[in-house]
Amino acid sequence: MSPRDWIDLSQDSETGIETLRAHFEGHAYDPHWHDSYLIGVTEQGVQQFNCRRQRHSSTRGKVFMLEPGEIHDGEAPEDASFTYSSLYIDPQWLMRELRLVYGEVPCGYELHFDVSLTADAPLAQAISVAFKALQSKELRIVRQSALDALFDKLTHHVRWRMRMGGSPRLPSVALQARDYLHAHMAEDIGLDDLARVVGTDRFRLTRAFKAAFGMPPHAYFIQLRLARARRMLALGVSPSAAAADLGFADQSHLGRWFRRAYGLTPAHYRRRCSNVPD
């Protein structure tokens, strides 16, 4: 981060929604994903990001929408900057709330955004109102009303999609490798070890994995650990304990990767989301 970059983060205690407002010049984030739905508005500048194998440019007033697990990055054009505000919404909480909107949600389905970027002005306004209500810790009735208005506008851009397990279109070695990484998240796994488990060589595995998930196995493995670390930190787990539990060499090792993905240190994130003192 440059000296002029900044991040303001907080978490609503009732809903668990994280509100984040940030400003960056040049590079902001390495490719990463979140376990939450991300809905935000670009306030100033040009916010460039890659998602769903496309390059997007979000300008003032545009809305970006990302699903859990969608790989994305972030940067401004050379010699430029951008400012944005966003909401990070827990999928299970969002499903419960949207059942009130839709009446009944089909079993085995999940929420899907039709697009990653839209110029929907009413939706942008609803996001901004909800963001301010949550961040300023407005009265509960005000926060709930703002979120209800947001969900009403959001329904124009969502549909229900059958929850996918293993897609038959993806290489079986990539799916097996992904499942193995999830099951052995805290272990020091070598690429040769992973290839041996799924019955191929590491070169074919890397190509298949990157084609399936948009990044090579080592990058996916790190992001998997970071996503778990983020959840642990939000619950008040110390950075050193999270690092040890997830197989990082030490707290500084976790910190380097965490900052590259999220733009702030594990201690800062924990402090703003859990209110637990350092």
Side-chain angles (χ1 to χ4, degrees):
M1 295 176 67
S2 79
R4 290 180 292 275
D5 294 344
W6 52 263
I7 294 177
D8 185 14
L9 170 73
S10 64
Q11 186 180 58
D12 180 62
S13 59
E14 180 182 10
T15 63
I17 295 175
E18 293 178 17
T19 58
L20 185 146
R21 186 166 182 259
H23 175 86
F24 290 98
E25 295 184 356
H27 178 78
Y29 302 111
D30 285 353
H32 65 285
W33 76 72
H34 301 280
D35 288 338
S36 53
Y37 285 96
L38 193 164
I39 307 169
V41 179
T42 302
E43 300 180 12
Q44 167 271 322
V46 180
Q47 182 177 1
Q48 296 179 334
F49 65 97
N50 294 286
C51 186
R52 298 185 183 179
R53 303 184 185 277
Q54 290 185 340
R55 180 75 162 170
H56 303 278
S57 293
S58 182
T59 53
R60 182 178 180 180
K62 286 189 177 181
V63 173
F64 49 92
M65 303 178 292
L66 305 175
E67 299 172 19
E70 286 197 318
I71 300 169
H72 61 284
D73 53 12
E75 64 181 10
E78 189 174 353
D79 299 326
S81 65
F82 67 92
T83 308
Y84 70 96
S85 54
S86 58
L87 305 174
Y88 295 79
I89 306 175
D90 176 74
Q92 293 183 346
W93 182 88
L94 182 59
M95 289 285 283
R96 289 195 301 270
E97 293 298 307
L98 286 177
R99 283 192 176 95
L100 302 177
V101 177
Y102 285 97
E104 185 173 337
V105 176
C107 182
Y109 282 70
E110 60 189 1
L111 193 68
H112 172 65
F113 293 137
D114 283 334
V115 295
S116 299
L117 187 67
T118 179
D120 185 334
L123 176 58
Q125 176 65 17
I127 293 171
S128 297
V129 171
F131 179 92
K132 292 173 183 175
L134 292 170
Q135 193 177 55
S136 61
K137 304 188 187 305
E138 272 286 1
L139 296 173
R140 187 169 177 233
I141 193 171
V142 175
R143 300 197 308 272
Q144 290 179 337
S145 296
L147 288 171
D148 286 349
L150 169 58
F151 296 150
D152 180 60
K153 296 295 187 294
L154 191 61
T155 54
H156 300 295
H157 298 278
V158 302
R159 61 183 175 87
W160 296 107
R161 179 177 65 184
M162 184 172 291
R163 186 175 291 111
M164 297 294 290
S167 171
R169 294 175 296 176
L170 299 180
S172 61
V173 294
L175 294 171
Q176 293 173 41
R178 179 199 62 183
D179 292 345
Y180 189 86
L181 292 177
H182 278 260
H184 300 82
M185 191 185 308
E187 297 178 18
D188 186 12
I189 302 170
L191 194 56
D192 284 335
D193 300 328
L194 188 60
R196 191 160 43 249
V197 167
V198 301
T200 187
D201 62 72
R202 67 187 197 213
F203 303 104
R204 289 185 176 85
L205 171 60
T206 298
R207 286 195 296 270
F209 199 99
K210 191 171 182 178
F213 303 115
M215 57 174 58
H218 75 275
Y220 185 97
F221 192 44
I222 291 168
Q223 293 304 316
L224 187 63
R225 287 183 171 187
L226 290 176
R228 177 67 61 83
R230 186 167 174 143
R231 293 197 298 272
M232 294 172 69
L233 294 166
L235 293 173
V237 176
S238 70
S240 59
D245 286 350
L246 294 173
F248 288 97
D250 51 29
Q251 181 176 335
S252 63
H253 186 209
L254 166 62
R256 288 194 299 274
W257 283 108
F258 198 91
R259 188 157 186 167
R260 286 176 60 178
Y262 306 126
L264 69 169
T265 66
H268 184 188
Y269 179 82
R270 173 177 178 260
R271 184 165 59 249
R272 298 306 298 267
C273 287
S274 70
N275 295 318
V276 175
D278 293 335

